[in-house]
Amino acid sequence: MANIFDLGPDFYSVPGEWNHDGRPYGKYVRQDIVEHPEIAKIRSDDCFVVTYPKSGTTWTLEIAHLVMNGGDTSISASTPHVIKTPFMEFKLDGITSLKEASYDGLSIMNKLKPPRLVKSHLPVDLLPQDIYKKGCKIIFVTRNPKDAVVSYYHFYKSISDAFGDYSGDFHDFLKLFMNGKVHYGDWFRYTLDWWKYIQNKTNILCLKYEDMKQDPRGATVKIADFLGYTLDDVTIDKITDQCSSKTMKKNKQVEKEMVRKAIVGDWKNHFTVAENEAFEQIYNEKMEGSGLVFEW
Ligand code: PPS
């Protein structure tokens, strides 16, 4: 039966993208890490922030980094975000939005002093197995997929280095998203695989973007508790403040594309009524029984 999200044969794919296990990856994702995750040397005191793209990764990394530094903002103010908290599988020559001429997350990770805080968007089965074997801490952040796809659409439009010249509108992009044709693939598969894995794991903290927005201080406290840092109220308040979207937007060390509207519910400005109804139907079928519930 024809469905509102059916893709025609000529759908957009980013120049240079490649596939692994049914998922597209950008040319900036290191294929050798995806195919041989064991090349990443993992330490038991590493902490990974793992997300489907556009779920609150940058925000969470900033909070966790400040927690690990007792609220000291000097590194945040002086070091590019992607250097202090490297993006493991990401490699690109000449990122125009960075001061660096080239970037290789894994080699930066290899040079960092422990404890390292690392970003990844890899699915649960593709992260280096040593992360699980060595009991590394993982913060898994998830976000309602309507807002995630809106955020992803604006990201595709804003970084031609990574996504080529995407000229489609949001409605075209939603079709790509619903068919798993955006980088890192199908949101439902990604989220359900991670969600199943994290159940009853004490070394994994699951945060939802919407909860963090609702109670940002509570998010700082949860992250500090999880990472094993005891911080006084003044420091907790300082970190929470420092990590507000308003303050992060002003931080020159955070790429400008990483902080946009930073709200819950921007999907209402993008979805048509028909798209929303079709989305809800698919969402309810795929997520039924998962126990994962979002605020919209
Ligand atoms: S990425 O590229 O996947 O790492 O992007 P990610 O950081 O996961 O998600 C980007 C969205 O998070 C919003 N953001 C924030 N929200 C609240 N508070 C803070 N401090 C914050 N920083 C970033 C950002 O604006 C993106 O969401 P949208 O909806 O596009 O605004």
Side-chain angles (χ1 to χ4, degrees):
M1 195 175 63
N3 149 342
I4 191 171
F5 300 128
D6 276 350
L7 270 179
D10 301 323
F11 59 85
Y12 181 77
S13 63
V14 177
E17 80 182 19
W18 50 279
N19 281 273
H20 178 87
D21 190 22
R23 295 172 160 117
Y25 293 93
K27 61 181 181 206
Y28 54 81
V29 173
R30 276 181 60 165
Q31 198 160 352
D32 57 345
I33 296 185
V34 170
E35 288 169 357
H36 304 283
E38 68 282 0
I39 65 174
K41 299 295 169 230
I42 303 301
R43 302 174 46 103
S44 55
D45 54 3
D46 287 338
C47 174
F48 279 77
V49 172
V50 183
T51 60
Y52 187 85
K54 313 322 290 177
S55 302
T57 331
T58 316
W59 183 15
T60 306
L61 284 165
E62 192 68 11
I63 301 172
H65 186 267
L66 284 172
V67 161
M68 288 162 74
N69 287 280
D72 179 352
T73 54
S74 58
I75 299 175
S76 277
S78 61
T79 310
H81 189 80
V82 290
I83 305 285
K84 72 176 196 277
T85 52
F87 184 0
M88 182 177 71
E89 67 269 19
F90 188 90
K91 181 175 187 193
L92 195 57
D93 290 325
I95 311 176
T96 51
S97 54
L98 292 176
K99 290 177 196 88
E100 272 56 37
S102 64
Y103 180 86
D104 180 2
L106 187 60
S107 70
I108 290 165
M109 195 178 146
N110 288 339
K111 287 180 209 136
L112 271 191
K113 278 195 276 172
R116 306 182 298 186
L117 187 57
V118 180
K119 161 180 172 174
S120 178
H121 292 314
L122 290 177
V124 67
D125 53 319
L126 293 185
L127 269 189
Q129 288 300 305
D130 269 359
I131 293 176
Y132 311 118
K133 287 187 198 144
K134 295 190 174 183
C136 297
K137 288 189 176 170
I138 298 173
I139 304 178
F140 174 70
V141 191
T142 187
R143 182 182 196 184
N144 88 58
K146 292 184 196 173
D147 282 337
V149 62
V150 166
S151 182
Y152 215 172
Y153 164 68
H154 288 286
F155 200 52
Y156 258 62
K157 296 285 260 189
S158 67
I159 308 199
S160 57
D161 287 351
F163 300 113
D165 293 318
Y166 178 73
S167 59
D169 63 14
F170 173 73
H171 311 289
D172 297 323
F173 191 80
L174 183 57
K175 287 184 189 170
L176 290 176
F177 181 84
M178 294 307 279
N179 286 279
K181 301 293 187 196
V182 294
H183 291 173
Y184 291 96
D186 181 66
W187 182 92
F188 295 95
R189 179 181 173 200
Y190 183 97
T191 304
L192 287 171
D193 283 355
W194 264 107
W195 182 246
K196 273 179 218 142
Y197 181 77
I198 67 180
Q199 300 309 311
N200 307 316
K201 302 273 192 315
T202 51
N203 61 323
I204 304 185
L205 173 67
C206 177
L207 297 173
K208 292 183 203 161
Y209 182 91
E210 297 75 22
D211 295 346
M212 294 172 69
K213 282 293 295 183
Q214 170 85 26
D215 180 9
R217 191 182 195 280
T220 308
V221 170
K222 271 190 199 157
I223 291 171
D225 285 350
F226 174 71
L227 295 177
Y229 290 80
T230 308
L231 303 174
D232 59 40
D233 282 351
V234 174
T235 308
I236 292 282
D237 287 337
K238 180 181 170 191
I239 293 173
T240 308
D241 226 44
Q242 190 68 26
C243 296
S244 71
S245 57
K246 215 170 143 199
T247 308
M248 277 183 63
K249 230 177 206 169
K250 287 189 220 141
N251 184 344
K252 298 238 176 337
Q253 304 302 343
V254 177
E255 306 92 288
K256 65 175 177 4
E257 297 82 5
M258 305 312 282
V259 191
R260 195 186 58 95
K261 271 202 186 171
I263 60 168
V264 177
D266 196 27
W267 65 269
K268 292 171 194 159
N269 301 314
H270 290 76
F271 279 60
T272 65
V273 172
E275 282 168 345
N276 189 41
E277 280 171 6
F279 187 102
E280 293 264 315
Q281 195 180 339
I282 293 169
Y283 180 91
N284 290 337
E285 278 163 20
K286 295 202 175 183
M287 301 302 284
E288 193 189 355
S290 68
L292 180 56
V293 178
F294 290 101
E295 297 297 320
W296 302 92

